[in-house]
Amino acid sequence: MATMQDLIEKNHRYWKSRFEALDDATFRDAGKHIDDIRDSFEYACRQIDKEIEQFYSQYADEHGITLADAQTYLRSNERKEFQADVREYIKMATSNDDGHFSDLLDSLSTRVRITRLEALRAKAAMYINDAYGKESKELQGACKDALTSNYLRTAYEIQNGVGKYEAFQQIDKKSIERILQKPWTPDNKTFKYRAWTNKEQLIHTLSQTFTRGFISGIDSKEMTKAVKDRFGVAEYAAARLVNTEAAYFASEGSRQSYQALGVTKYQILATLDDRTCDICADLDGQIFNMSDYEVGLTAPPFHPNCRTTTVPYIDDPVLTAGEERAARDPDTGKTVLVDGSLTYNQWKEQFVTDDDEEDEEE
């Protein structure tokens, strides 16, 4: 016969396993967005490499290209061709978030004198701008997916674990947008601002790379290698940003679900391996009141790339997963019995309501 301690340990194992799986799903989904971002960065890098090769083939002599050579003004036909490309880019640009960048391109499209180096920098900046436009879209999608998925799946796991199903309302679109736009870090910066800052940093860094390369007299292979190295750093920063922001919005989705279901306490669950930091290791297993929930102090993420999550702390140690359980019919409001555990899709179909759909019908 199972003792009370056995039941408590069973309870802990249940919540741990279910929310570890939920956390893994969050990072798998984020990984798909990161893969798409990486593809766009690698495409931009390849295109810039081609621009560099063309630059060297046009202007290098037996001694390579000096800074003075790079700062020579474009000939009339070269300038007209470059400016036509810029005007076409402005017309077709996929990302127009940065007004400063657009102003710069507008200026280049009409200037009478443009140096070779300015043209190379501008072409590189256009490819980078497109890559970060893709990043911004994927980052937004990763955050929204993490928020909405964890909100519902947390509710499902709790109802499934305690053995009682009832109607549960999805987050409406306006609330989702409000949550996504609200800064959560101490410096009060949104994920969109961080992506924009990273873009500006890469444009500036490549501009310096070109200048220093011409000063040093490096050849095209060395120059393209330097560019690839810079893109490697940028890709890592983008992946870290996606993982960190997805972790926060997943945590926020769970928090909103806890509150909706009346959970009063939660427990920290860290991923314990050789990569676990001391902060997360020390917090693992600690229990907090929902009133003390504060990201970075008592709730994850505690740092960039944080893999720690939370689980609801349910006092009742008795789990009835797999047995007959109670369910409140969302149409009649009456309590009925259902056989065994519902799958997530069954639960979502029967018990989740969506105000947005109702609004559209009206």
Side-chain angles (χ1 to χ4, degrees):
M1 182 177 179
T3 65
M4 181 59 68
Q5 184 60 38
D6 291 335
L7 292 173
I8 291 174
E9 290 177 359
K10 176 186 177 185
N11 175 282
H12 178 71
R13 288 195 301 272
Y14 175 83
W15 295 116
K16 184 175 184 291
S17 65
R18 298 310 302 160
F19 280 79
E20 279 180 339
L22 186 55
D23 196 44
D24 288 344
T26 295
F27 282 100
R28 280 199 306 273
D29 290 343
K32 296 174 184 176
H33 292 282
I34 291 172
D35 287 342
D36 288 340
I37 292 171
R38 185 174 290 114
D39 287 344
S40 66
F41 274 43
E42 289 177 354
Y43 174 79
C45 186
R46 288 195 303 271
Q47 297 305 115
I48 293 172
D49 285 350
K50 291 178 182 178
E51 295 291 344
I52 291 170
E53 294 291 349
Q54 184 177 350
F55 192 90
Y56 272 83
S57 67
Q58 271 186 283
Y59 305 123
D61 56 25
E62 65 273 15
H63 303 294
I65 298 178
T66 66
L67 182 59
D69 293 331
Q71 290 178 328
T72 299
Y73 289 114
L74 294 176
R75 293 188 291 270
S76 177
N77 63 317
E78 292 174 330
R79 176 177 55 80
K80 289 179 181 179
E81 182 180 350
F82 167 72
Q83 290 179 325
D85 289 342
V86 170
R87 286 192 291 271
E88 184 66 19
Y89 177 84
I90 293 172
K91 188 187 303 181
M92 303 296 291
T94 58
S95 176
N96 293 304
D97 294 338
D98 184 0
H100 172 72
F101 184 68
S102 298
D103 291 343
L104 173 63
L105 292 184
D106 283 336
S107 172
L108 287 173
S109 69
T110 57
R111 270 174 46 187
V112 176
R113 304 177 91 182
I114 300 170
T115 69
R116 297 166 176 175
L117 182 54
E118 285 177 321
L120 179 62
R121 286 172 174 169
K123 288 180 180 179
M126 288 188 282
Y127 287 117
I128 291 171
N129 192 59
D130 279 348
Y132 276 93
K134 177 69 172 179
E135 184 202 32
S136 182
K137 179 181 178 182
E138 293 297 330
L139 185 52
Q140 176 93 1
C143 293
K144 183 177 180 180
D145 291 348
L147 173 68
T148 55
S149 178
N150 267 55
Y151 178 74
L152 282 183
R153 288 191 173 275
T154 295
Y156 164 72
E157 296 297 351
I158 292 173
Q159 291 192 8
N160 199 45
V162 300
K164 184 178 180 181
Y165 297 119
E166 57 187 355
F168 190 77
Q169 186 173 303
Q170 172 64 289
I171 307 179
D172 63 90
K173 292 177 182 178
K174 289 183 180 179
S175 295
I176 291 172
E177 291 305 313
R178 184 174 63 251
I179 295 169
L180 292 178
Q181 292 171 12
K182 183 180 178 181
W184 60 271
T185 52
D187 60 5
N188 207 38
K189 300 293 190 290
T190 64
F191 60 83
K192 288 185 178 180
Y193 178 87
R194 294 183 194 286
W196 178 84
T197 302
N198 289 346
K199 180 188 76 173
E200 290 296 297
Q201 180 62 40
L202 182 56
I203 290 174
H204 177 69
T205 300
L206 281 197
S207 178
Q208 290 183 323
T209 298
F210 294 149
T211 300
R212 289 170 180 165
F214 294 135
I215 291 174
S216 301
I218 63 176
D219 61 22
S220 62
K221 288 185 178 179
E222 291 177 285
M223 185 73 87
T224 56
K225 182 183 182 305
V227 169
K228 288 177 183 177
D229 289 343
R230 297 300 183 187
F231 265 91
V233 173
E235 283 183 24
Y236 175 78
R240 181 179 61 187
L241 180 60
V242 172
N243 279 330
T244 303
E245 295 291 335
Y248 165 73
F249 286 104
S251 182
E252 177 63 15
S254 292
R255 185 184 74 85
Q256 298 256 349
S257 197
Y258 293 163
Q259 290 181 328
L261 292 174
V263 173
T264 59
K265 296 181 180 180
Y266 64 94
Q267 189 171 25
I268 302 297
L269 176 62
T271 300
L272 299 178
D273 55 28
D274 59 359
R275 292 190 293 150
T276 307
C277 70
D278 292 340
I279 295 173
C280 294
D282 290 342
L283 285 167
D284 183 53
Q286 291 199 34
I287 299 166
F288 295 96
N289 293 321
M290 285 298 300
S291 58
D292 296 325
Y293 192 104
E294 186 173 352
V295 171
L297 293 178
T298 61
F302 296 105
H303 54 79
N305 271 336
C306 185
R307 297 172 296 148
T308 294
T309 187
T310 65
V311 299
Y313 186 75
I314 309 296
D315 291 329
D316 184 359
V318 180
L319 293 175
T320 57
E323 301 175 6
E324 192 174 63
R325 56 197 39 225
R328 185 176 296 277
D329 190 303
D331 295 323
T332 66
K334 294 181 179 180
T335 299
V336 296
L337 293 178
V338 296
D339 292 327
S341 300
L342 295 178
T343 66
Y344 173 74
N345 287 334
Q346 290 171 331
W347 171 81
K348 187 176 180 182
E349 182 178 353
Q350 294 183 44
F351 294 99
V352 174
T353 59
D354 189 340
D355 279 352
D356 289 323
E357 291 180 359
E358 293 174 5
D359 292 342
E360 289 173 4
E361 290 176 1
E362 292 176 1

